[in-house]
Amino acid sequence: MPKDMFDLPVIGRAATVRPATINEEERTFEVCWTTGATVQRARFVGWDGIEHYDEELSVREDHIRLGRLNNGAPFLDSHRSWDLGNILGVVVDGSVRFEGNQGFATVRFSKRDEVEPVWRDIKDGIIRSVSVGYQVHEYLITKKEGERDHYLAVDWEPMEISAVAIPADAEAQVRSAKDGHAPSLNPCALVRAQATAAAAAEQKGTPMSGKNKAAAGSTETRADDTVETRGNDPVNTPAETVETPAPAATETRAADPAPQPETRSAAEEARAAVIAERKRSGEINRLCRHHGLGDEFAADLIERDVTIDQARAAVLAKLEESEPMNGRSYEPARAENRSEQQREVQYRDALTIALQHRHNPGAVDLSDDAREFRGMTLMEMARHALERRGMSTRGMSKMELAGAAFQMRAAGYHSTSDFPSILANVANKTLRDAYESTQRTFMSWARRSTIVDFKPVQRTQLGGAPDLEKVLENGEFQYGTMGESKEVYALATYGKVLGITRQALINDDMDAFTRIPAAFGASAADLESDIVYAILKDNPTMADGTALFHADHGNLGSAAVINETSLAAAEEAFSKHKGIEGRPISVRPRFLIVPTGQRFLEARKQVAATTPNNTADVNAYAGMYEIVPEPRLLPATGQAPWFLAADPSRIDTVEYAYLDGQEGVFTETRQGFEVDGIEIKARHDFAAKAIDSKGLYKNPGAAPA
């Protein structure tokens, strides 16, 4: 039979809730999801425009792929399958059944709080319309003179059932992506019937009377239409147009009106041809999808009428032409969804960049996609995002428009390109940029770590390795031990909630989305510095019961300015340190940590290289330390102290830690409850602890002479 292929999206059909079947205790109800009724459809046909046709779903069970529906297919909100939040329930496993030309299934509703209003409306009869979403894999097409073509779905698959405001059959239209989500397409084989009416009736599984079987043998259009019987109601099927042969053949049939004995054979052959074609097309599609070659390659093989063996050879040749994987994915069934997701992300990023550029033109360059939104106000961007979703904004006041923009997520339009998500993305990026650009001087001399949870963790303070002992000939190596001490600390969570109101959107207040989040980010970075430098300032008690800086630890000097004498004393103190096992360890200072002001000037003079006039002017410590100036070390009163720290890769000093996978400040967004808009929560998990006193030294400082 002549055939071709075209891509077809998931289609919707009206279904019916059966109110009498609602079980409140089990939260279940029954739906009639198909009657096989004929509905008008339309599709684009290349440059020729739109083709209208009548679609009928065969209700023969061998024509329906029931695997998905009978094994827990989702019950959705308005066919929105791209977000888990749109799942309202599930089709009960094994509940699909048929009675005559009707298909029934039982739906179990979710117990989630957010879907409870929908359940109440279904029970109260307010939500009555449901729709089944399905894919058609093969149509048998019959031409009808002077009427729309008849498309009989002889291989179709119910995918899901949805609660809808208007059932799908109420609109006969070309299906598009008006809601902002491009449909996921599947290849559909079109088999154009050249057979008689008897063959067409065989495909539908409809018995024909002897009269009509005889009439079906004619090659002319018959006035006596075939009658289909559904239940007890006859349904008239318009006369079918078939090819008219040469007059001689017509005359022969006119002379012999008896039923042709080969009519049944032709029907069987037609049916066999359909089954064979379905098997060939399905196997080629499976091969191409399995190897990630895409639907276009599969459609080309099907259209060229290659055999399955030839298709396997073509697939192998195609794979050999390519590098391994070559960027392909072995999840081709999700290719359309990934493409749609990429478009959503592209749109979100374009608006985000446009808003960031408006906030700081010198730091953010406009991309080509973002130029479209250059100069738009926040309200204009909100209107664009709503209309892109298919929502009409005509006649909306500013307050209504702002409310609709913030309610996109709540209304079930959730996507990365929703306007609240875009605003949250701008705030998050601005916050993160400010956090990362804020100076944190402790990162050079303290050691970074990650902690997997909020339980207290122990950090072992390792002593030096034991002395190596001489091993005599034929002697044995002796076991040694390493002393240890432990410091314990735990992560803490810090955070704040920022509310962005509709008024901020209407007032085109960019500060709410940029400067305020930037201040949050800088505040998070400053918090880390506050926590780390508080350890040096507050001199906490260590696990051994002694303060971090103490004479017993040998790391507290006599008050002095920064000069050769005080630095020499500090170097000597480092050289006297011993490990826990009592053996001297080789540790020396690398960082000179000082408050800004006078101490910084003193440090610079001691570390800077000079050209001396005589040996007395030689700068003995030139280039030996890395100076770390930190204003937090300035005391409120008295003299400013200064500190030395060893290399953290050689010995522990202060350890700072983040939660594993959450390094830095993070944000979460929700629809506003306390505020009329959206709320952005900044969360930061951080902790710091002094681990080993031998890596640090303090001098209380003295007034300059």
Side-chain angles (χ1 to χ4, degrees), residues 153-447:
V154 294
D155 183 6
W156 62 285
E157 181 177 16
M159 308 293 286
E160 46 83 8
I161 300 175
S162 290
V164 293
I166 301 176
D169 288 353
E171 298 181 81
Q173 61 180 1
V174 178
R175 302 187 184 280
S176 63
K178 292 181 180 180
D179 63 352
H181 289 267
S184 175
L185 304 179
N186 67 281
C188 178
L190 304 182
V191 181
R192 302 191 182 277
Q194 300 289 339
T196 61
E202 176 69 12
Q203 298 302 326
K204 300 178 185 180
T206 305
M208 299 183 68
S209 66
K211 173 186 175 182
N212 285 331
K213 283 184 179 179
S218 172
T219 57
E220 298 178 348
T221 303
R222 299 291 181 180
D224 48 342
D225 296 346
T226 302
V227 177
E228 261 185 56
T229 301
R230 293 208 179 122
N232 296 320
D233 298 326
V235 180
N236 290 328
T237 303
E240 299 176 345
T241 302
V242 296
E243 294 181 356
T244 303
T250 305
E251 290 171 4
T252 301
R253 289 195 174 92
D256 184 13
Q260 301 298 315
E262 56 272 355
T263 298
R264 178 60 182 170
S265 177
E268 290 175 349
E269 290 178 2
R271 175 62 183 161
V274 170
I275 294 174
E277 175 58 25
R278 183 187 306 167
K279 180 179 178 182
R280 186 185 73 90
S281 302
E283 179 63 15
I284 291 175
N285 278 318
R286 188 195 67 78
L287 280 170
C288 294
R289 291 186 176 186
H290 178 73
H291 294 288
L293 295 179
D295 294 336
E296 291 184 6
F297 186 73
D300 177 66
L301 294 177
I302 294 171
E303 290 174 5
R304 289 196 283 116
D305 208 19
V306 301
T307 66
I308 293 176
D309 289 339
Q310 291 171 334
R312 290 193 180 100
V315 167
L316 182 60
K318 186 71 173 177
L319 293 174
E320 289 176 348
E321 291 174 5
S322 308
E323 296 177 1
M325 288 301 289
N326 196 25
R328 297 189 304 274
S329 170
Y330 280 104
E331 297 178 306
R334 301 181 184 176
E336 295 86 355
N337 293 335
R338 287 198 302 273
S339 178
E340 173 60 24
Q341 184 179 12
Q342 289 171 357
R343 287 192 290 271
E344 294 292 322
V345 172
Q346 185 178 8
Y347 178 75
R348 179 201 66 188
D349 290 346
L351 276 179
T352 299
I353 291 172
L355 288 169
Q356 286 184 299
H357 176 79
R358 179 178 164 188
H359 165 61
N360 191 355
V364 180
D365 294 328
L366 278 176
S367 64
D368 292 339
D369 293 332
R371 292 184 189 280
E372 176 185 354
F373 307 106
R374 183 178 185 180
M376 280 190 179
T377 65
L378 292 172
M379 290 296 290
E380 289 170 340
M381 291 182 179
R383 186 184 300 275
H384 188 282
L386 287 168
E387 292 179 347
R388 183 175 181 271
R389 279 271 172 264
M391 183 182 296
S392 175
T393 61
R394 184 178 301 173
M396 281 189 178
S397 67
K398 288 186 176 181
M399 187 62 74
E400 290 171 337
L401 182 62
F406 280 130
Q407 290 295 329
M408 287 178 76
R409 185 193 310 270
Y413 293 93
H414 175 62
S415 165
T416 56
S417 64
D418 290 343
F419 200 62
S421 297
I422 292 168
L423 295 179
N425 193 45
V426 172
N428 183 48
K429 283 183 175 292
T430 307
L431 185 149
R432 290 286 301 182
D433 289 345
Y435 167 77
E436 291 170 1
S437 63
T438 300
Q439 185 181 35
R440 284 163 287 174
T441 60
F442 65 85
M443 301 180 80
S444 61
W445 60 267
R447 188 171 76 89

Side-chain angles (χ1 to χ4, degrees), residues 571-631:
E571 290 276 358
E572 184 178 350
F574 270 93
S575 66
K576 292 181 178 180
H577 284 315
K578 295 182 179 181
I580 297 174
E581 73 291 332
R583 188 171 62 85
I585 57 176
S586 300
V587 177
R588 66 171 311 276
R590 175 181 171 183
F591 299 96
L592 181 53
I593 307 168
V594 298
T596 53
Q598 178 63 34
R599 292 289 177 253
F600 178 70
L601 294 177
E602 294 170 358
R604 288 287 297 164
K605 289 179 180 179
Q606 295 300 319
V607 175
T610 60
T611 303
N613 294 321
N614 52 63
T615 56
D617 296 332
V618 171
N619 194 343
Y621 294 100
M624 292 189 65
Y625 306 117
E626 295 180 27
I627 300 176
V628 181
E630 177 51 58

